[in-house]
Each structure stands twice: as structure tokens, then as C-alpha cells.
Amino acid sequence: MKQHDQFAEMLARRAELTPAEDARLTEHLTHCSQCRHTAEAYNRQTTLLRSLPEVVPPPALRATVLTGIATPAASRARWVFPLPFFAPLVAVAAALLIVGVALLHHANGGLHTAIAPVASPTAGEIVRQPTAPPVPHTGGSIKRHRPTPHGGATSVQSGAGPRATNAPAPTYSSGGNVALGATVPGPVPSTPIGALPLPTAISLGVAGRVNVPLAPTVPAFGPVNGHPTAVPYKPAVPHKPAVPLPTIAIPPNAPPTVAMPPGAPAPVPTATSGPIKVSRVAPSPTPTSLSTVTPVAPPTFGPAFSVPATPTPTLTAAVAVPAPTVTSTPPVP
Amino acid sequence: MPEAVSGADEQLVCLMNQYERPLYNFLLAVVRNNDVALDCAQDTFLRAYQHLKRGKQVNGAWLYTVARNRAMDEFRQKRRTQADPEVLDQIPVHEPTDHVLAVQSILAEMSPADREVLYLFDVAGFKTDEIGAMLGVRGTAIRQRLSRARERFRVLYGAEA
């Protein structure tokens, strides 16, 4: 019986048998009627299968394929961009962008500020120095405080240049990822770019016009086609839809006022919210101009950059890793 | 890169000229559904084009492997391969003779695994080791499957007769 099974298996694939195997099988068939019947049945199967009429493919097959290769986007629809691989680069670029834009604002506004990313992109909080009374605000709290030296995260401090006005220097802190003022520990590369309130919304010029986003922002990173990114977004509070940016207008010699757009929901500061602090270190009559920025630490999040030089004063930024800092030196007289 | 893309275009057209009909018939024999066979064939050739654009080689075995895996995906997801009593009517046969209808009926009753190995061996002309490489199994397993499929066909054909 075992021998019949072996020859049946050989009969099933007789087309690929070696000459030696075929000769052995043929010799067996001469004296085994059961295997001869099996061989006849299998030969009939092959004949039947090969005699099946070929179906002409519909023209849509070729047309669709040729159309598909003519439109590469359609054929690449299933390909997923390897975002986790580029996530650190994007984070570094975001950090550089923030520092660059903040330095640009320094050059334009002449404020002594420090920039640091905040780890938690949560609801906003506005903190002011105690030299000015808190401004009533329907949403976030506004306080004043004196900037205290902090270690750790990125900080950019301008020189003690003269100011154009002696108005009280307010310090603002928002719930975004950019802190202007006292530094807040937080790794720069881990800051999601989407979670950063754009520094353009914080304009601390002499006129003191401040736009601070008071609602948590949603980072640009997120699951892309189901693939988790390297920068997971875990909001401390449930995400709320973005609201129009309120405008905080600060007159030069008056306590700043906060103007909220009508209908905007009041931001609720939370204990877990990472404060964004915008502070004026010292009054300066004239705006501080940024001349040079020299990274002194290994710039893991980007190459060195510089700003076109102006006569005075000089600002030197120091970037430290893993807790990068960008510090400035007093202006050169 | 435009030259490579152009070369890929030409190679794809050559592949389609050679394998469009047999591959479609193979898929039709396996999935027993015109729409599914069409989609599988289209995906197979589009994947072949992407493969060619990366400078890799595509041959008949590669096409049958991709087409077969694509067809098995359909079976796993059971999207459009549910049992259909009118499935035979969906197979376009130009001259449906008695034996053609009988064979179609037998193939419809066989499992997709038996159908594909029978078709690949008897019609497409692949060897059992080649089919094993396509399906990711050993050639001995394919030989056993082929023997089992032939016995199944034999029984069903006897019943049809």
C-alpha cells in the first residue's frame, strides 16, 4: 500500500519526473493495474485543465494598470512615510525655528527674554511681574514675578542694553511650549513642532503688544495612517478646539491689558500645564540688537547660526546638550 | 531616473503582453470571481511596476507569487469570495461545453489551495519546487498537496460523470 502511495505521488507529478524516476514508474505500471487506472485519471485531469478555454482579460485590466503607473500618487497610496525616523529631525528643526524666531524678536523688540521649551503642551497661563497689578482676565491667570535664574533648558538672554522706556517689564507665561522669561527645563528636540505656540504670536516690543495663545495646541505629530510617531502626544487635558488668539496689549507705561475675542472660551490653567514665561530681566531704554549668536555646545539640534552683525551690543547664545542653553553676554560697550 | 522609469514602463508592457492572460486566468481559477481576479491582477502588475522601478527583476514566478498572495488575502478577509451559487455564471466561457462546465464545477468545489496547485502545475507549467518557492513551503509539501488535489479531482470528476 505504501508503495502505491509512493507511485501515486509520482504519477501526480509525472511531468517533472527525472528519466530514471519515469522509467521506474513505467516499469511499475506494467504490472500494477491500480496505478494504471490512476495514471489514466491523472492524465485526463491534465487534459481537461489544459483544455479549459482561456478567458480574455477585460480591457479594464490593462487600462487601469497603465493609468496607475501614469499617476504615481495612486500607486504609492499604500506607502507610509517613515515619520518616526524623521521625527527627531523635525523636532530639532522646530527647536531651531523657535530659537531663531525668538532671537529675531529680541533683535526687533529689545527685550531681555529667555526662551525655553516646555514639556507639556497644555492650557495657557499668563504670569506677570509683581511690579504691575494683575490684569483681570476671563481666562488664564495673569501674574507678575521676577525672573529667577534657572538652569537647564534653552535660555536666551539679551544683554543689559538700555531701554527706550522704563515701563514695567511684564513677564508672561503661557501654556504653550515656548517660555519667554525664566527658563523651564525641557529637552528641545522632544518638543513637538505642532505644540509650539508660534513665537510670532508673542511680540514683546516697546509698545508691548503681546499675543499669547491661551488654548492648548495640537501637535502636528500624530498617528499617520495608523503608525505611531516618535513623539507621542499625550495632552494633560482633553483637547479643545483652537480658539482665536487673544491679544494682550501692553502700553509702554501702563499696566498691560488683555483683550479676549468675544466668545472665546476661557483657558483653564492646570497644575500640569507647562508654563511659558516671558519676562523682562531689566529695563532697557533702547532695544537690544542682536549681533552674533555663537553656539558653544555641541549643537545636536542643528548647525550653528548667526545673525548679521550690528554695531552693538553683542548677544552670544550658548546651546547645551542635553539641556541646551543659549545665553547672552552683556553688550560690549 | 526618467530613463529607469521609462525602462520600467517598457518592461511592464512586455510583462503584460506575456502574462496578462495566463495570470488573469490563474486568478480566475483560484478566486472564481471576475471582479476579484481583476483587482488582484491589477495590483499584481502595479506592484511589479514598483518593483521594476527599484531596479529589481520581475519574472513569471514573481508575478504568480504576488498574484497568489493577493488572492489569498481576499480569501482571508473573505471580502468577496463568499460562496456564491451563481459563481459559475460569472466565469466567462466563450463556448461552454459539457466537459468545460464539469471541470468548472469541480474546481468550484475544490479548495483554493488545491485549485492553485493544480493550475500552477498542469496549466501554468511550474514544477513543484517552484510552486513551493512561490507559496513559501517545501517542495515535498507541494507534492503531497498536488497528489491530494488530484485524488480530490478524480473523485469529483467520477461523481460528475
Side-chain angles (χ1 to χ4, degrees):
Chain A
M1 190 65 190
K2 204 169 184 179
Q3 192 180 20
H4 282 296
D5 291 342
Q6 181 183 1
F7 283 110
E9 188 266 339
M10 294 175 67
L11 284 171
R13 57 180 187 95
R14 192 170 188 180
E16 68 172 10
L17 291 178
T18 62
E21 289 175 329
D22 192 68
R24 183 172 157 227
L25 178 63
T26 303
E27 194 273 334
H28 173 75
L29 291 177
T30 55
H31 60 268
C32 182
S33 59
Q34 181 181 352
C35 288
R36 275 201 303 273
H37 288 300
T38 302
E40 291 172 2
Y42 289 176
N43 288 336
R44 193 181 305 115
Q45 287 178 21
T46 302
T47 304
L48 288 172
L49 288 171
R50 290 180 179 174
S51 64
L52 283 176
E54 269 198 336
V55 178
V56 179
L61 171 57
R62 182 173 291 241
T64 305
V65 171
L66 295 180
T67 304
I69 66 173
T71 55
S75 58
R76 291 185 203 135
R78 295 179 180 175
W79 188 75
V80 179
F81 187 76
L83 187 59
F85 176 75
F86 290 97
L89 277 179
V90 175
V92 168
L96 283 178
L97 178 67
I98 293 163
V99 172
V101 174
L103 290 177
L104 189 63
H105 279 280
H106 273 280
N108 293 333
L111 290 178
H112 300 266
T113 59
I115 301 175
V118 180
S120 174
T122 53
E125 177 190 19
I126 297 177
V127 181
R128 302 201 66 184
Q129 291 283 351
T131 54
V135 179
H137 190 273
T138 58
S141 62
I142 300 176
K143 303 174 184 176
R144 282 179 173 260
H145 71 86
R146 288 193 177 278
T148 56
H150 292 272
T154 303
S155 65
V156 178
Q157 294 180 350
S158 62
R163 259 182 212 282
T165 175
N166 289 328
T171 299
Y172 297 93
S173 177
S174 177
N177 280 15
V178 177
L180 299 178
T183 59
V184 178
V188 173
S190 65
T191 301
I193 187 171
L196 298 173
L198 293 178
T200 54
I202 303 174
S203 177
L204 294 178
V206 176
R209 183 175 180 82
V210 179
N211 295 329
V212 180
L214 297 179
T217 55
V218 180
F221 296 102
V224 178
N225 293 340
H227 290 256
T229 60
V231 186
Y233 174 60
K234 297 179 179 177
V237 297
H239 170 64
K240 297 177 181 178
V243 297
L245 297 178
T247 300
I248 303 174
I250 304 174
N253 292 318
T257 60
V258 179
M260 292 290 292
V268 179
T270 61
T272 59
S273 64
I276 291 180
K277 299 176 182 177
V278 181
S279 65
R280 291 182 178 177
V281 176
S284 61
T286 59
T288 303
S289 60
L290 180 65
S291 61
T292 58
V293 177
T294 306
V296 297
T300 58
F301 50 89
F305 56 90
S306 62
V307 179
T310 55
T312 57
T314 301
L315 175 65
T316 302
V319 181
V321 175
T325 59
V326 181
T327 59
S328 63
T329 59
V332 178
Chain B
M1 286 311 294
E3 294 178 358
V5 172
S6 175
D9 291 350
E10 294 177 359
Q11 293 180 57
L12 180 70
V13 171
C14 292
L15 284 172
M16 292 196 74
N17 290 337
Q18 187 175 358
Y19 291 104
E20 182 183 8
R21 181 176 294 198
L23 196 72
Y24 178 76
N25 279 271
F26 162 69
L27 287 167
L28 203 57
V30 173
V31 301
R32 317 294 296 168
N33 185 292
N34 285 329
D35 294 335
V36 178
L38 180 62
D39 286 350
C40 292
Q42 288 170 353
D43 285 354
T44 300
F45 284 114
L46 286 175
R47 291 183 192 183
Y49 180 70
Q50 297 297 328
H51 209 66
L52 290 170
K53 279 210 306 183
R54 290 193 289 267
K56 299 180 179 177
Q57 295 295 320
V58 174
N59 54 17
W62 190 95
L63 288 173
Y64 276 96
T65 302
V66 174
R68 181 261 175 190
N69 291 336
R70 178 68 174 79
M72 290 301 114
D73 288 342
E74 292 286 339
F75 279 107
R76 288 191 196 98
Q77 298 173 6
K78 295 184 178 178
R79 288 187 298 195
R80 293 173 292 177
T81 53
Q82 301 290 344
D84 188 350
E86 298 180 353
V87 67
L88 291 181
D89 297 336
Q90 299 179 6
I91 307 301
V93 177
H94 298 292
E95 298 177 357
T97 60
D98 289 344
H99 88 273
V100 169
L101 291 177
V103 172
Q104 297 283 16
S105 177
I106 291 169
L107 290 176
E109 292 188 43
M110 297 175 70
S111 69
D114 288 347
R115 284 201 299 265
E116 71 177 357
V117 73
L118 260 184
Y119 193 95
L120 289 172
F121 188 84
D122 271 348
V123 182
F126 288 104
K127 295 183 178 179
T128 54
D129 287 337
E130 294 172 336
I131 299 171
M134 288 182 195
L135 275 55
V137 296
R138 293 179 179 273
T140 54
I142 295 298
R143 287 188 275 276
Q144 292 176 359
R145 189 184 300 179
L146 178 63
S147 180
R148 188 179 63 242
R150 287 204 183 281
E151 277 303 307
R152 175 72 174 154
F153 191 102
R154 183 184 181 185
V155 172
L156 291 173
Y157 188 78
E160 287 283 336

